[in-house]
Amino acid sequence: MFSLISRVPIRNLVYRQTPTLIGALAIAELFYRWHSFVLEAVGFLLTWCVLDAVAGVLAKLIGKPLSPQTDR
């Protein structure tokens, strides 16, 4: 996880992950009542992953990247 965060520019992480993070937190808080921290944490992470994948597909269909372009 640290290597992922250290290799991807912070600006890209903020633009790409913040909307899906907030959506996943809202979904998990409203709907996940499994009485187990581990199950709810895994559910939150899976929800975040699915929302990020959907956002990526929508960005490709629309033709606009979710994160600003960098010269790397």
Side-chain angles (χ1 to χ4, degrees):
M1 183 62 119
F2 177 75
S3 62
L4 171 68
I5 292 172
S6 65
R7 290 182 185 176
V8 177
I10 291 293
R11 187 173 185 175
N12 288 358
L13 284 174
V14 170
Y15 281 114
R16 175 76 190 248
Q17 297 300 322
T18 301
T20 56
L21 169 69
I22 292 170
L25 279 172
I27 290 170
E29 185 65 30
L30 291 173
F31 298 110
Y32 298 165
R33 300 281 186 246
W34 298 328
H35 305 291
S36 169
F37 172 77
V38 173
L39 288 177
E40 289 183 17
V42 169
F44 159 71
L45 290 173
L46 289 174
T47 303
W48 189 7
C49 182
V50 168
L51 289 179
D52 187 41
V54 169
V57 168
L58 289 176
K60 285 182 182 178
L61 289 175
I62 293 172
K64 296 181 181 179
L66 292 178
S67 58
Q69 297 295 322
T70 59
D71 296 328
R72 283 191 108 196

